[in-house]
């Protein structure tokens, strides 16, 4: 008889394909059951909205690729987010359609809780109503052997995106800083260098008619010799001045020729240095102060014996240039010192973000949980509820709607009752066989004051954890909030939550979920007491 394998598709990939890849299930037809709100089949995940739609599309694509060639592969759609009644009706129709061709296997490993509950309810109703034989529809799951923290994974995805955005922003900052910003910061220094060249020309009797083109008013500190009424004679005076400078006798020995190079050559060297060093975020490689000192020495040798206006302006221009140079070098030093660690850290973070992005891509390929062997579900133990979530749901399903404080007290009372049970059982044995947990429970069972104290402490300690559990139950569609005109808003189970409660084996539930939660609370209680 042909077998149809229904794989309910959530975010998992690995646990969806495990039964087929491991040959646990032998299917003639494979159908991926997806949410009606998911993107259409074959759509590129990159074209989907970020978040659940993109992740679901990626999972569908990955599952389709891995299951290709394993019989007929197609899709079915269910209204995952609709009301439970609508979801239940659509699920029952899907099971009827699939069972008309033969046996049906349903892999619920990746199913959201409300979808899994709908499949369980529909199978139960069809079998109990006599429409299907009990063995026609088998519910399977792949217990998770490893389940990463999905909230942490979402935070990691956001962090990777933030690092990539910060890295791009820093690259742009470096481009601007070492480009337009560097040119703007260096502009006063270039003006000061040009003024210094003009002053040298004035002192030497040379003419630079285009040196002030485009210069703003006040850029230079004084008028050059070419603006003087005697400008026509400046070239003759300048040449005579330089000849006299060489003939002036001095008690000091003549400076070394290497230190008295042509001042114009020194200014050319400063121009070359500034062109090569105008990057704000890079450290200064060559110190230009030696060139400036050489220029000053050369000028003192040539013009130091004269006190005319042009000579005074030359040395004042040199002082202004040195002031601008010191300010520029200080800015470069401060910015490069600050940018260096940031650049190193950004590079390191970018490398780590790339590694994290690779890991996240691998997670997209396998899903948020891994498992190895299939488990057939005879009872409703298929919802991925935490211990506290399960305890809260059991308390809410056992009575009228409750406020959060009343729910917390109900869970605490359930745990105390279970502790007293363990204490009675342990008290009947030899005391030497008691574990630390047994001893604690014996104390609660034999001393009502200790029991009351434990229940009160437990009720208070559960408050923050209860809020997290209720939010998880609400997000999964198991619990809803009823607004009251007076008093606190009440919590009550939805249809999916009531179905969960009505199909759960309570004795097994108390021996697993309640006991595990009790032990966890006892360990926390003892830890708090020791502290």
């Amino acid at each position: 008889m042909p077998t149809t394998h229904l794989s309910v598709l959530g975010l998992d990939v690995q646990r969806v394909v495990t039964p087929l890849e491991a040959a646990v299930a032998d299917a003639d037809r494979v159908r991926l059951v997806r949410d009606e709100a998911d993107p259409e089949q074959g759509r590129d995940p990159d074209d989907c909205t970020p978040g659940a739609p993109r992740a679901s599309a990626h999972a569908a694509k990955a599952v389709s690729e891995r299951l290709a060639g394993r019989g007929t592969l197609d899709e079915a759609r269910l209204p995952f987010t609709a009301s439970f009644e609508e979801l239940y009706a659509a699920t029952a129709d899907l099971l009827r359609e699939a069972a008309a061709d033969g046996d049906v296997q349903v892999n619920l490993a990746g199913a959201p809780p409300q979808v899994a509950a709908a499949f369980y309810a529909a199978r139960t109703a069809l079998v109990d109503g006599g429409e299907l034989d009990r063995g026609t529809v088998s519910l399977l799951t792949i217990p998770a052997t490893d389940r990463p923290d999905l909230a942490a994974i979402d935070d990691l995805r956001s962090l990777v995106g933030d690092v990539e955005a910060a890295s791009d922003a820093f690259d742009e900052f470096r481009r601007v800083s070492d480009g337009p910003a560097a040119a703007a910061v260096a502009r006063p220094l270039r003006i000061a260098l040009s003024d210094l060249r003009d002053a040298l020309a004035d002192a030497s009797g040379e003419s630079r008619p285009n040196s002030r083109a485009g210069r703003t008013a006040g850029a230079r500190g004084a008028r050059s010799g070419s603006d003087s009424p005697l400008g026509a004679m400046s070239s003759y005076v300048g040449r005579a001045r330089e000849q006299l400078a060489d003939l002036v006798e001095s008690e000091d020995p003549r400076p070394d020729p290497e230190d008295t190079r042509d001042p114009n050559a020194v200014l050319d060297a400063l121009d070359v240095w500034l062109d090569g060093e105008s990057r704000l975020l890079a450290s200064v490689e060559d110190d230009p102060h030696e060139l400036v000192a050489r220029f000053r020495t050369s000028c003192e040798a040539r013009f130091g014996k004269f006190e005319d206006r042009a000579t005074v302006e030359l040395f004042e221009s040199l002082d202004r240039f040195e002031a601008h140079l010191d300010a520029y070098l200080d800015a470069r030093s401060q910015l490069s010192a600050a940018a260096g660690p940031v650049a190193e850290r950004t590079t390191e973070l970018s490398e780590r973000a790339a590694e994290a992005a690779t890991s996240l891509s691998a997670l997209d390929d396998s899903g948020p949980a891994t498992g190895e062997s299939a488990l057939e579900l005879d009872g409703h133990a298929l919802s991925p509820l935490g211990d506290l979530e399960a305890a809260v749901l059991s308390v809410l399903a056992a009575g009228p709607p409750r406020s959060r404080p009343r729910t917390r007290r109900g869970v605490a009372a359930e745990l105390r009752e279970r502790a007293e049970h363990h204490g009675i059982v342990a008290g009947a044995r030899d005391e030497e066989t008691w574990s630390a947990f047994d001893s604690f429970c014996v104390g609660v069972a034999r001393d009502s004051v200790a029991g009351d104290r434990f229940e009160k402490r437990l009720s208070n300690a559960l408050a923050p954890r209860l809020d997290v559990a209720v939010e998880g139950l609400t997000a999964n569609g198991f619990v809803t909030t009823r607004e009251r005109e007076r008093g606190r808003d009440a919590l009550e189970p939805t249809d999916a939550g009531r179905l969960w409660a009505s199909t759960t084996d309570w004795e097994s539930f108390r021996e697993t979920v309640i006991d595990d939660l009790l032990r966890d609370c006892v360990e926390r209680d003892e830890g708090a007491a020791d502290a």
Side-chain angles (χ1 to χ4, degrees), residues 267-314:
L267 294 184
D268 291 341
L270 285 171
D271 259 328
V272 172
W273 171 86
L274 187 54
D275 289 339
E277 285 284 335
S278 58
R279 291 185 300 129
L280 292 181
L281 302 185
S283 58
V284 177
E285 297 180 1
D286 299 318
D287 191 344
H289 282 100
E290 182 180 351
L291 291 174
V292 177
R294 186 181 302 170
F295 180 83
R296 183 180 291 276
T297 301
S298 178
C299 288
E300 287 175 349
R302 285 174 178 262
F303 312 113
K305 300 301 181 180
F306 304 101
E307 297 183 358
D308 60 293
R309 181 193 54 75
T311 300
V312 172
E313 169 60 17
L314 172 63

Side-chain angles (χ1 to χ4, degrees), residues 389-407:
E389 289 177 323
V392 168
L393 188 52
S394 70
V395 168
L396 292 176
R402 300 168 178 256
S403 64
R404 292 194 183 210
R406 287 192 59 208
T407 302

Side-chain angles (χ1 to χ4, degrees), residues 35-84:
D35 187 0
E36 287 181 350
D38 278 354
E40 293 302 318
Q41 181 180 5
R43 187 174 178 185
D44 192 325
D46 293 337
D47 296 334
C48 300
T49 305
R54 179 175 296 175
S56 178
H58 181 93
K61 181 179 179 181
V63 171
S64 299
E65 291 174 351
R66 292 177 64 172
L67 294 183
R70 298 178 183 272
T72 303
L73 179 65
D74 60 7
E75 288 192 1
R77 298 294 181 128
L78 288 178
F80 284 8
T81 57
S83 65
F84 187 77

